[in-house]
Amino acid sequence: YQRSVHGVASGNLDAHEVQKAKKAQAEQFPEGIAPCGSDGLRYALLLSMTQGADINLDINGVVSCRNFCNKIWQATRLVHGHLVAHTRSNVAAPTSAPPLITRWILSRLNAALAAVDAAFKSYDLHTVAAAPRTFFWEDLCDVFLEFVKPALQDVAAGDHYQVVETLLTVMETSFRMLHPMLPFLTEELWQSLPHTGTTEPSIMLCQYPTPNAAWEDAESEAVMTLLLAVMRGIRAAKALYHIGPKQTPNVRVRYGGALADSIAAHSAVINRLCGVSFLGITSEEAPASYVVHAVEEVGGDVLLEIAGNVDFPAEIEKLQRDVAKLAVTQEKLLAEQRDTEKYSRKPEEKRQQDTARLERLEADIAQKKRDIARFESLRDS
């Protein structure tokens, strides 16, 4: 903080402006401004270029970009930790088909490259910066690395080679994609990776990556979209009923879509990342000891066993409060509809939305009442 104040006082502002600046700094940054580096600042400026040439710079945005740089560094360290027994020439190429997760991450990388390529052509610098960050943070770190940890850690695993090779390809391509925005960080990290297909001594001399049609994989994207939606539904259900991370309740998924078998095929990943015991796909009603949590984005349900995992009195009280709130909202909409003269002047589209909302409210209230009855039965049993 003292250094930032000294910087203001030693500038070319007049005395009155210096006092105003000091007061503003004391209010907004009582602990001072954390150092973020030139790469973090450059990235924040690019992300801020949404409309026009004027930028209202948010220091918190710069700090967020510094955190993104740290994320890239940490992910690269993780990769290094699994390269001890692996070089790009010491393992025979596999004969089996590539795993779903490797095909998916290459497809997501290709989508990011396509977005960046189009954004450069239209001079959309915000998307040039945003698309790689979304890919690297959400797809690569939050999904891919979590999915493949067992394969990375076990050099004897059948898909270890393909996972590591894919990871190296994705990291190296990502560094080249990010290099114009993060030149110092990407040069340092690119130098630390093994390379094939290039003899260039610096990332600055490498060709900038472009979309690769061979990486596009609609099937893997559809399966992963379904799988991630189901996993979000399971986590949401556990959080909703305050089931702790050390508890591993039984879970079934009610889903009748064409990709149902893909969910069952990834039961080990669901168990490990969601903290449950996945019992498979079902088309039946939930047993008495289960609750139903809708996964609307894929038209399915998570059936979560709560017996032995839930504080029933507390959850019954919470559900009763939820029903009361939903009933108030429902009554407001019904009262509005009962005033037919006034309601008839409402646009048809809005009236259709109200009807759909009432149907959802009625379904939610009915489901919560069923949960209350089930909880009361389990509490008294």
Side-chain angles (χ1 to χ4, degrees):
Y1 173 73
Q2 293 300 328
R3 291 177 61 187
S4 62
V5 169
H6 175 72
V8 171
S10 61
N12 58 0
L13 296 176
D14 63 41
H16 178 66
E17 293 296 327
V18 166
Q19 293 305 315
K20 288 177 60 178
K22 286 182 177 180
K23 182 180 178 181
Q25 279 194 345
E27 292 175 352
Q28 298 179 35
F29 311 107
E31 303 298 326
I33 299 173
C36 296
S38 60
D39 277 351
L41 175 60
R42 181 183 296 103
Y43 212 80
L45 291 170
L46 289 169
L47 285 173
S48 300
M49 294 186 67
T50 53
Q51 294 181 350
D54 294 333
I55 295 176
N56 185 13
L57 185 63
D58 180 4
I59 296 299
N60 291 328
V62 182
V63 173
S64 175
C65 291
R66 179 200 62 181
N67 294 341
F68 175 53
C69 293
N70 290 341
K71 188 75 171 180
I72 297 173
W73 187 277
Q74 292 163 1
T76 308
R77 287 185 60 189
L78 175 65
V79 174
H80 288 162
H82 297 291
L83 293 180
V84 175
H86 181 100
T87 68
R88 308 197 85 166
S89 61
N90 72 347
V91 184
T95 56
S96 59
L100 168 76
I101 190 65
T102 61
R103 292 188 286 121
W104 175 79
I105 194 63
L106 289 174
S107 187
R108 298 307 303 146
L109 175 59
N110 186 64
L113 290 171
V116 171
D117 185 58
F120 265 128
K121 291 175 181 177
S122 62
Y123 204 68
D124 178 6
L125 297 183
H126 168 77
T127 301
V128 165
R133 184 174 69 166
T134 299
F135 165 76
F136 198 96
W137 202 312
E138 297 180 8
D139 295 333
L140 178 60
C141 294
D142 290 352
V143 177
F144 180 78
L145 290 179
E146 294 300 324
F147 266 63
V148 302
K149 275 183 180 178
L152 285 175
Q153 295 165 353
D154 183 6
V155 295
D159 55 356
H160 173 80
Y161 172 88
Q162 295 184 79
V163 166
V164 175
E165 280 294 300
T166 300
L167 182 54
L168 287 171
T169 297
V170 170
M171 294 291 285
E172 194 274 339
T173 306
S174 297
F175 291 160
R176 287 188 287 125
M177 176 170 57
L178 284 161
H179 181 65
M181 293 80 80
L182 301 171
F184 298 108
L185 177 67
T186 52
E187 178 71 60
E188 177 75 16
L189 297 180
W190 184 85
Q191 293 288 350
S192 70
L193 292 180
H195 303 125
T196 59
T198 181
T199 58
E200 301 294 358
S202 169
I203 192 174
M204 291 186 293
L205 302 176
C206 294
Q207 181 179 0
Y208 193 77
T210 55
N212 183 348
W215 287 347
E216 187 174 349
D217 193 321
E219 179 189 0
S220 68
E221 296 232 21
V223 173
M224 285 297 295
T225 296
L226 172 63
L227 193 57
L228 292 173
V230 168
M231 292 171 67
R232 284 193 296 270
I234 292 173
R235 289 168 177 157
K238 287 187 67 177
L240 183 62
Y241 296 104
H242 305 105
I243 298 177
K246 293 184 179 180
Q247 296 170 279
T248 55
N250 292 330
V251 163
R252 292 179 170 88
V253 173
R254 187 162 58 202
Y255 179 72
L259 299 175
D261 291 343
S262 300
I263 302 174
H266 291 84
S267 59
V269 173
I270 293 174
N271 291 342
R272 177 169 58 87
L273 296 182
C274 297
V276 295
S277 295
F278 181 69
L279 301 182
I281 304 296
T282 183
S283 59
E284 301 176 356
E285 291 298 315
S289 59
Y290 284 68
V291 292
V292 178
H293 184 83
V295 186
E296 294 181 356
E297 56 187 303
V298 296
D301 298 301
V302 167
L303 279 53
L304 178 72
E305 187 173 27
I306 57 173
N309 296 299
V310 171
D311 181 349
F312 290 117
E315 291 304 320
I316 290 171
E317 182 180 350
K318 177 179 177 297
L319 284 168
Q320 289 172 337
R321 290 197 302 269
D322 290 345
V323 168
K325 290 179 181 177
L326 291 172
V328 169
T329 303
Q330 183 187 44
E331 179 55 32
K332 286 182 179 178
L333 281 173
L334 290 172
E336 189 178 347
Q337 288 184 340
R338 284 194 290 268
D339 187 351
T340 55
E341 182 179 349
K342 182 178 179 181
Y343 194 72
S344 63
R345 296 195 293 269
K346 196 170 187 177
E348 176 64 23
E349 182 181 355
K350 295 292 185 181
R351 284 184 283 169
Q352 291 177 356
Q353 291 173 356
D354 288 347
T355 300
R357 189 181 179 193
L358 278 170
E359 290 174 354
R360 289 195 301 270
L361 285 168
E362 184 177 357
D364 288 346
I365 290 172
Q367 181 61 60
K368 289 183 183 297
K369 285 182 176 180
R370 288 194 293 269
D371 288 343
I372 290 172
R374 185 181 291 117
F375 282 10
E376 288 174 340
S377 174
L378 291 168
R379 178 196 61 189
D380 299 334
S381 61

